[in-house]
Amino acid sequence: MLDSNLSPPEIAAWLRETNAERLQTLWDAADQIRHERVADAVRLRGLVEISNRCSRNCLYCGVRAERRVERYRMTQAEILECAKFAKKNGLATLVLQAGEDRTLDAGFVAETVRAIRDDFGLIVTLSLGERTDSELVRWQEAGARRYLARFETSNPALYAALHPSVDGSGLTERIEFLKRLRKTGYEVGSGVMLGIPGQTFDDLARDLALFRELDLDMIGSGPFLPHPGTPLGSLEIRDGYWRTAPLASALSPFKSENADASRFTFRYPTSSDQVPNTNDVAFKVVALSRVLCPDANIPSVTSVATLDGSGGRKSALSRGANVIMPNITPTKYRRLYEIYPNKAATFEDAETTLQTALRQIDEIGRFPGVGPGSSKRFLERVAGVPRRER
Ligand code: 5AD
């Protein structure tokens, strides 16, 4: 019943499931598959938010270009300090994340990646938005191994409504970007937001089927958390659902800005079709991601921890997740990388954030991984091993 061939309607039924006993079978299956396929170590990735500059205006995001917030870009010396911390504390991977910062120079990134690899021996994951093929190749040659770019939603109309286009880039370009990453030889990570206004259970089921189709190496998805400084920040919630009317007015002024918007008709979901932005949904998505992509690396993400601290983090790890990405950004920059409010660990230092993660791993009877922890699916793919189902 719970195998990697689930159809989108079957996936949607699981997403809507409320029966506690049946849900328990989903949690158990996901935990079992996780144990069999990627074992018990929890992989730790040090997350460094290197710049909050952004040229995009995504309706949900607290660092969208139009918002007046103090902007920063970390210096190479500051980033290498984070690498030193990671090395000292046994974090084998450093994730460099930023907004779509066009002023983030490709040469700067290449030099920084090379220094992280050569001077500290760390694996580098990049999460810097959509970039050109030549930049991707250059960064890979400098030592970058992995790249993260969520596609956010596979519904083209919703994607267009949420993402005022820059340079004509829409969902098609986003998916193409993921394929370009794969072709360049990166380990590819993606994911979606959960409960973004306008997202239906059928949309989310198709998102999950797309994870499988893209054969992702890493899958990170978390609840949408409204930021008051954004167009989606003040929507009214009733009985756990976004109310349709304010949603319509929040989205419509932006539709015309997107090249794709005229090609797709966005339909507002009825409240029972709208996915709620809860951890309950997040756990189902983690578990179903594990069922559909048994060999992927799947993190328990920060927005889950933001909604329900330690409990949320640990539940995701017990329901299919095998990765934590402790934030090791210098404390002075954390409050400026406010993609949503009250982000977990905003006022902590790297040491505290890491110790918290280690304690949570210990509390569920697991242990931190040693070594690179590359996606098993990636290693098999490059060795030419065909995909195994479950
Ligand atoms: N709530 C939850 N997640 C968000 N992201 C951006 N803004 C929000 C928000 N308000 C997510 C997007 C992006 C990732 C870095 O953070 O999915 O890809």
Side-chain angles (χ1 to χ4, degrees):
M1 187 177 60
L2 272 162
D3 62 44
S4 51
N5 292 314
L6 286 179
S7 66
E10 288 169 325
I11 299 170
W14 275 111
L15 292 170
R16 288 178 180 275
E17 184 60 66
T18 54
N19 179 286
E21 264 169 53
R22 280 202 294 273
L23 280 175
Q24 194 59 47
T25 64
L26 176 59
W27 311 144
D28 292 346
D31 198 42
Q32 181 65 23
I33 300 168
R34 191 269 311 147
H35 169 74
E36 283 168 15
R37 302 291 281 258
V38 296
D40 294 335
V42 176
R43 302 288 167 181
L44 290 162
R45 324 296 200 192
L47 175 65
V48 189
E49 296 157 336
I50 64 172
S51 163
N52 72 346
R53 292 173 191 263
C54 194
S55 57
R56 300 224 176 181
N57 264 312
C58 309
L59 264 60
Y60 45 80
C61 183
V63 300
R64 63 201 301 272
E66 268 177 19
R67 217 175 147 239
R68 289 224 183 88
V69 290
E70 188 184 332
R71 302 285 170 172
Y72 74 91
R73 191 181 313 118
M74 287 174 64
T75 64
Q76 188 175 82
E78 287 172 326
I79 298 170
L80 295 181
E81 267 307 305
C82 295
K84 190 171 159 195
F85 174 87
K87 178 80 189 165
K88 188 174 124 223
N89 289 281
L91 296 169
T93 298
L94 208 61
V95 183
L96 306 185
Q97 186 168 79
E100 297 237 355
D101 181 359
R102 295 292 144 86
T103 61
L104 190 62
D105 180 67
F108 170 87
V109 173
E111 271 175 42
T112 307
V113 168
R114 187 167 280 114
I116 296 170
R117 180 189 61 183
D118 295 349
D119 301 347
F120 299 96
L122 301 177
I123 306 267
V124 179
T125 303
L126 297 176
S127 181
L128 306 175
E130 290 170 40
R131 308 286 299 221
T132 66
D133 283 349
S134 64
E135 289 171 327
L136 295 179
V137 169
R138 185 170 179 190
W139 296 340
Q140 191 186 42
E141 284 169 358
R145 292 257 289 264
R146 308 180 185 140
Y147 208 107
L148 307 175
R150 290 184 177 176
F151 61 80
E152 315 294 1
T153 174
S154 63
N155 174 336
L158 181 58
Y159 189 98
L162 293 170
H163 302 100
S165 179
V166 174
D167 305 334
S169 177
L171 178 61
T172 311
E173 288 71 23
R174 190 68 164 189
I175 304 295
E176 280 308 310
F177 178 66
L178 294 172
K179 293 182 179 164
R180 290 200 277 128
L181 289 169
R182 169 66 47 78
K183 241 177 80 199
T184 314
Y186 283 92
E187 270 183 62
V188 181
S190 194
V192 297
M193 266 177 300
L194 310 171
I196 191 90
Q199 181 187 51
T200 66
F201 285 101
D202 290 341
D203 288 335
L204 184 50
R206 281 188 289 266
D207 295 347
L208 280 149
L210 185 55
F211 296 166
R212 172 177 59 195
E213 188 188 321
L214 292 169
D215 195 12
L216 294 175
D217 302 304
M218 303 169 279
I219 304 169
S221 307
F224 159 66
L225 301 170
H227 190 302
T230 67
L232 297 189
S234 51
L235 297 183
E236 208 181 320
I237 307 174
R238 191 181 284 172
D239 300 332
Y241 293 102
W242 306 107
R243 288 191 53 215
T244 302
L247 173 60
S249 59
L251 292 181
S252 59
F254 297 89
K255 286 178 80 174
S256 61
E257 292 180 38
N258 192 294
D260 272 352
S262 56
R263 294 198 283 130
F264 302 104
T265 313
F266 177 68
R267 290 182 204 291
Y268 298 100
T270 61
S271 65
S272 62
D273 283 339
Q274 167 70 48
V275 175
N277 61 336
T278 59
N279 268 353
D280 182 51
V281 170
F283 300 144
K284 290 175 180 169
V285 168
V286 163
L288 290 164
S289 298
R290 174 61 65 202
V291 171
L292 298 169
C293 305
D295 294 322
N297 280 329
I298 301 178
S300 174
V301 301
T302 306
S303 53
V304 164
T306 299
L307 278 181
D308 179 25
S310 192
R313 189 47 84 80
K314 292 195 282 189
S315 293
L317 287 174
S318 304
R319 295 168 174 182
N322 71 319
V323 174
I324 294 184
M325 300 164 68
N327 192 337
I328 62 166
T329 307
T331 311
K332 68 173 174 177
Y333 294 127
R334 290 187 185 205
R335 70 184 170 83
L336 300 175
Y337 205 86
E338 194 196 39
I339 50 183
Y340 49 79
N342 308 314
K343 201 162 132 243
T346 298
F347 300 104
E348 293 176 7
D349 60 8
E351 184 69 41
T352 310
T353 308
L354 177 60
Q355 289 313 320
T356 303
L358 291 170
R359 195 186 62 240
Q360 290 161 338
I361 293 169
D362 187 59
E363 281 167 3
I364 56 166
R366 307 254 283 276
F367 49 89
V370 179
S374 297
S375 123
K376 196 170 139 211
R377 192 50 213 122
F378 175 80
L379 297 174
E380 288 184 352
R381 191 184 313 106
V382 292
V385 178
R387 192 168 177 178
R388 275 191 303 145
E389 291 177 352
R390 180 187 178 265

